[in-house]
């Protein structure tokens, strides 16, 4: 309508800017993702999630980048062979590797189906970390725009990427721990739920801003900040704040994501007749991302199964993970941050040809994967038997895995019982071997950290241990003395009902 009526001022307002998304719309989405993360499932499969999120994103970026550059040199997809073509291909590989399996997560979270917790954890965890990794990699590549021949697999780019990612994680964890400690030390803050919510909101955006100021990734720091708050600070909040925080931050995140998809449709409509389009580029990019997704999902599943003694990743799970790699809001917003070549900076010009093609290709891929694959996801998962319909009266879908209960290894169970019986914080297993010392949910390293978290971190920053202590103290204050009766010496002493129930 705006184009037909030639309303230039209104059309200028509808132009979506990547900076607006990055600094306004994206932070609430990422913060809510970290705040609502199921930490137990996430930690139980942390090694596998990191493998798919970090190594998988790098492999996918390299495959897509190499494929697009080869096709561009053969003049098949409309991209111009300019000196900056290699970095454009790298940027497109990084942004299109940001997956958004919203249809799969919504399906697995539905009460109508029972899902394997391992598959649910892998897809959900990978989608959250994958976005942060793709954003960090994209931002790192933008700092190498002026290089004559930038290589993705190089010490300069990968080293910069690793430092930014590690520094952002440290910043987010430190900020989350500091805010949790402040909340745990405050005794009167629970009387003001509005101040609690405001403190979390301001702390989140301050963490994002300070991390960006230091040249790191504010998105990654914000996600880690939310995870720490969910694990520790949640137990420092009052009951009204616990409910309000989930509702408020969840609503803001959904509104932000809805706004992104609305602008995606607006940009798609405004780009007709103005941006550069090429059908060959769209079709080739679709094939490239399908191959790139398979190139890291299936090999990594095989390698991870070699390291997992229980709960293997089945072939059907790998197929669902491969199919569920939809592209969404983050890929679209990152595409708008791809700069044009030269000083002439307006869409539709020859200087923006390569950038326009990447934007229009991303829009087409997001629409195709969301509408086609997202709609068929339920039938695909049902055909592969990774979900089962359940009776509405049964428990939630994550209460029981499809493949049966998980069985702990005997030597780990015995060592854990011996550690608990000894009462020592750092007791070592009876027979130390290097094979059990792995970073998985039931290894000795995990048990040592769990004990350190229970005895040191939770009393300091907050957690279930500290929350139970507060409940006990409050119950003891609310107890009252029962009337004293004359009883025999052998009779048991009378106690208040509150103490008995506690």
């Amino acid at each position: 309508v705006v184009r037909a009526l030639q309303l230039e001022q209104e059309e200028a307002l509808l132009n979506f800017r990547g900076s607006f998304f990055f600094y306004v719309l994206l932070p609430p989405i990422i913060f809510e993702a970290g705040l609502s993360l199921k930490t137990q499932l996430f930690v139980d499969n942390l090694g596998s999630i990191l493998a798919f999120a970090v190594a998988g994103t790098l492999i996918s970026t390299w495959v897509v980048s190499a494929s697009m550059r080869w096709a561009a040199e053969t003049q098949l997809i409309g991209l111009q062979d300019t000196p900056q073509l290699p970095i454009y291909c790298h940027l497109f590989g990084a942004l299109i590797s940001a997956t958004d399996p919203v249809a799969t997560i919504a399906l697995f979270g539905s009460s109508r189906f029972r899902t394997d917790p391992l598959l649910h954890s892998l897809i959900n965890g990978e989608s959250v970390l994958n976005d942060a990794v793709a954003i960090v990699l994209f931002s790192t590549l933008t700092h190498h725009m002026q290089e004559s021949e930038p290589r993705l697999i190089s010490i300069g780019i990968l080293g910069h990427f690793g430092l930014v990612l590690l520094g952002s994680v440290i910043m987010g964890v430190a900020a989350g721990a500091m805010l949790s400690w402040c909340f745990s030390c405050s005794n009167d803050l629970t009387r003001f739920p509005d101040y609690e919510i405001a403190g979390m909101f301001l702390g989140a955006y301050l963490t994002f801003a300070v991390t960006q100021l230091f040249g790191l990734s504010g998105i990654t720091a914000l996600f880690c900040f939310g995870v720490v708050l969910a694990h520790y600070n949640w137990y420092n909040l009052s009951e009204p704040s616990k409910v309000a925080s989930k509702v408020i931050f969840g609503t803001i995140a959904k509104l932000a994501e809805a706004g992104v998809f609305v602008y995606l449709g607006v940009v798609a409509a405004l780009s007709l007749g103005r941006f550069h389009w090429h059908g060959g580029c769209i079709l080739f990019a679709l094939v490239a991302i399908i191959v790139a997704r398979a190139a890291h999902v299936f090999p990594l599943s095989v390698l991870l199964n070699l390291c997992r003694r229980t709960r293997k990743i089945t072939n059907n799970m790998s197929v669902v993970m491969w199919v569920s790699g939809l592209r969404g809001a983050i890929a679209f917003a990152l595409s708008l941050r791809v700069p044009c070549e030269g000083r002439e900076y307006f869409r539709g010009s020859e200087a923006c040809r390569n950038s326009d093609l990447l934007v229009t290709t991303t829009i087409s891929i997001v629409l195709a994967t969301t509408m086609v694959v997202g709609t068929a996801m339920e039938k695909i998962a049902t055909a592969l038997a990774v979900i089962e319909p359940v009776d509405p009266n049964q428990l939630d879908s994550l209460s029981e895995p499809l493949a049966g209960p998980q069985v702990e290894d005997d030597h780990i169970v015995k060592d854990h019982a011996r550690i608990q019986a000894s009462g020592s914080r750092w007791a070592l297993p009876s027979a130390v071997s290097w094979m059990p010392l792995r970073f998985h949910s039931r290894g000795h390293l995990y048990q040592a950290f769990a004990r350190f978290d229970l005895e040191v971190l939770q009393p300091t920053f907050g957690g279930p241990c500290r929350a139970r202590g507060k409940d006990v103290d409050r119950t003891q204050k609310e107890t009252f003395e029962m009337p004293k009766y004359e009883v025999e010496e052998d009779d048991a002493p009378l106690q208040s009902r509150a103490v008995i129930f506690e």
Side-chain angles (χ1 to χ4, degrees), residues 415-432 437 444-445 447-449 451 455:
D415 287 335
H416 183 61
R418 188 184 63 82
I419 292 174
Q420 288 184 338
S422 64
S424 175
R425 180 180 301 180
W426 306 110
L428 293 176
S430 55
V432 178
L437 295 178
H444 302 301
L445 295 177
Q447 294 175 6
F449 176 77
R451 182 174 292 276
E455 298 184 359

Coordinates of all heavy atoms in Angstrom, one line a residue, residues 415-432 437 444-445 447-449 451 455:
D415 N 31.2 -45.0 43.8 CA 32.1 -44.0 44.2 C 31.3 -42.8 44.7 O 31.7 -42.2 45.7 CB 32.9 -43.5 43.0 CG 34.0 -44.5 42.6 OD1 34.4 -45.3 43.5 OD2 34.4 -44.6 41.4
H416 N 30.2 -42.5 44.2 CA 29.4 -41.4 44.7 C 28.9 -41.7 46.1 O 28.9 -40.8 46.9 CB 28.2 -41.1 43.7 CG 27.4 -39.9 44.1 ND1 27.9 -38.7 44.2 CD2 26.1 -39.8 44.5 CE1 26.9 -37.8 44.5 NE2 25.8 -38.5 44.7
A417 N 28.4 -42.9 46.3 CA 28.0 -43.3 47.7 C 29.1 -43.2 48.6 O 29.0 -42.8 49.8 CB 27.4 -44.7 47.6
R418 N 30.3 -43.6 48.2 CA 31.5 -43.6 49.1 C 31.9 -42.2 49.5 O 32.2 -41.8 50.6 CB 32.7 -44.3 48.5 CG 33.9 -44.5 49.4 CD 35.0 -45.1 48.6 NE 35.5 -44.3 47.6 CZ 36.3 -43.3 47.8 NH1 36.8 -43.0 49.0 NH2 36.8 -42.5 46.8
I419 N 31.8 -41.2 48.4 CA 32.1 -39.8 48.7 C 31.1 -39.2 49.7 O 31.5 -38.5 50.6 CB 32.1 -39.1 47.4 CG1 33.3 -39.5 46.5 CG2 32.2 -37.6 47.6 CD1 33.2 -38.9 45.1
Q420 N 29.8 -39.5 49.5 CA 28.9 -39.0 50.5 C 29.1 -39.6 51.9 O 28.9 -38.9 52.8 CB 27.5 -39.3 50.0 CG 27.0 -38.6 48.7 CD 25.6 -38.8 48.3 OE1 25.1 -39.9 48.7 NE2 25.0 -37.9 47.6
A421 N 29.4 -40.8 52.0 CA 29.6 -41.4 53.3 C 30.9 -40.9 54.0 O 30.9 -40.7 55.2 CB 29.7 -43.0 53.1
S422 N 31.9 -40.6 53.2 CA 33.1 -40.1 53.8 C 33.0 -38.7 54.3 O 33.7 -38.3 55.2 CB 34.3 -40.1 52.7 OG 34.0 -39.2 51.7
G423 N 32.1 -37.9 53.7 CA 31.9 -36.5 54.2 C 32.9 -35.5 53.7 O 32.9 -34.4 54.0
S424 N 33.9 -36.0 52.9 CA 34.9 -35.1 52.4 C 34.5 -34.4 51.1 O 33.8 -35.0 50.3 CB 36.2 -36.0 52.1 OG 37.2 -35.2 51.5
R425 N 34.8 -33.2 51.0 CA 34.4 -32.4 49.9 C 35.1 -32.8 48.6 O 34.6 -32.9 47.5 CB 34.6 -30.9 50.1 CG 34.2 -30.0 49.0 CD 34.4 -28.6 49.3 NE 33.7 -28.2 50.5 CZ 33.8 -27.0 51.0 NH1 34.5 -26.0 50.4 NH2 33.1 -26.6 52.1
W426 N 36.4 -33.2 48.7 CA 37.2 -33.5 47.5 C 37.7 -34.9 47.5 O 38.8 -35.2 47.0 CB 38.4 -32.5 47.4 CG 38.0 -31.1 47.5 CD1 38.2 -30.2 48.5 CD2 37.3 -30.4 46.5 NE1 37.7 -29.0 48.2 CE2 37.1 -29.1 47.0 CE3 36.7 -30.7 45.3 CZ2 36.4 -28.1 46.3 CZ3 36.0 -29.7 44.6 CH2 35.9 -28.5 45.1
A427 N 36.9 -35.8 48.0 CA 37.3 -37.2 48.1 C 37.4 -37.8 46.6 O 36.5 -37.5 45.8 CB 36.3 -38.1 48.9
L428 N 38.5 -38.5 46.4 CA 38.7 -39.1 45.0 C 38.1 -40.5 45.0 O 37.9 -41.2 46.0 CB 40.2 -39.2 44.7 CG 40.9 -37.8 44.6 CD1 42.4 -38.0 44.4 CD2 40.3 -37.0 43.4
P429 N 37.8 -41.0 43.8 CA 37.3 -42.3 43.7 C 38.3 -43.4 44.1 O 39.5 -43.1 44.1 CB 36.9 -42.5 42.2 CG 37.7 -41.3 41.5 CD 37.8 -40.3 42.5
S430 N 37.8 -44.6 44.4 CA 38.7 -45.6 44.9 C 39.8 -46.0 43.9 O 40.9 -46.2 44.3 CB 37.9 -46.8 45.4 OG 37.1 -47.3 44.3
A431 N 39.4 -46.2 42.7 CA 40.3 -46.6 41.7 C 40.3 -45.5 40.6 O 39.4 -45.4 39.8 CB 40.0 -47.9 41.1
V432 N 41.3 -44.7 40.6 CA 41.3 -43.5 39.7 C 41.8 -44.0 38.3 O 42.8 -44.7 38.2 CB 42.3 -42.4 40.2 CG1 42.3 -41.3 39.2 CG2 41.8 -41.9 41.5
L437 N 37.1 -40.0 33.8 CA 37.3 -38.5 34.1 C 36.9 -37.8 32.8 O 37.8 -37.2 32.1 CB 38.7 -38.2 34.5 CG 39.0 -38.8 35.9 CD1 40.5 -38.5 36.2 CD2 38.1 -38.3 37.0
H444 N 33.1 -38.0 37.4 CA 33.6 -37.6 38.7 C 33.8 -36.1 38.7 O 33.7 -35.4 39.7 CB 34.9 -38.3 39.0 CG 34.8 -39.8 39.1 ND1 33.9 -40.4 39.9 CD2 35.4 -40.8 38.3 CE1 34.0 -41.7 39.7 NE2 34.9 -42.0 38.8
L445 N 34.2 -35.5 37.5 CA 34.4 -34.0 37.5 C 33.1 -33.3 37.7 O 33.0 -32.3 38.4 CB 35.0 -33.7 36.1 CG 36.4 -34.2 35.8 CD1 36.9 -33.8 34.5 CD2 37.4 -33.6 36.9
Q447 N 30.6 -34.5 39.4 CA 30.2 -34.7 40.8 C 31.0 -33.7 41.7 O 30.4 -33.2 42.7 CB 30.5 -36.1 41.3 CG 29.6 -37.2 40.6 CD 29.9 -38.6 40.9 OE1 30.8 -38.8 41.8 NE2 29.3 -39.5 40.3
A448 N 32.3 -33.5 41.4 CA 33.1 -32.6 42.2 C 32.5 -31.2 42.1 O 32.4 -30.4 43.1 CB 34.5 -32.7 41.8
F449 N 32.2 -30.8 40.8 CA 31.6 -29.4 40.7 C 30.3 -29.3 41.3 O 29.9 -28.3 41.9 CB 31.5 -29.1 39.2 CG 30.9 -27.7 39.0 CD1 31.6 -26.6 39.2 CD2 29.6 -27.6 38.6 CE1 31.0 -25.3 38.9 CE2 29.0 -26.4 38.3 CZ 29.7 -25.3 38.5
R451 N 29.2 -30.8 44.0 CA 29.4 -30.6 45.5 C 29.9 -29.2 45.8 O 29.5 -28.6 46.8 CB 30.4 -31.7 46.0 CG 30.6 -31.7 47.5 CD 31.5 -32.8 47.9 NE 30.7 -34.1 47.8 CZ 29.9 -34.5 48.7 NH1 29.6 -33.8 49.8 NH2 29.3 -35.7 48.5
E455 N 27.9 -26.6 48.2 CA 28.5 -26.2 49.5 C 29.1 -24.8 49.5 O 29.3 -24.2 50.6 CB 29.5 -27.2 49.9 CG 29.0 -28.6 50.1 CD 30.0 -29.6 50.7 OE1 31.2 -29.2 50.8 OE2 29.7 -30.8 50.9

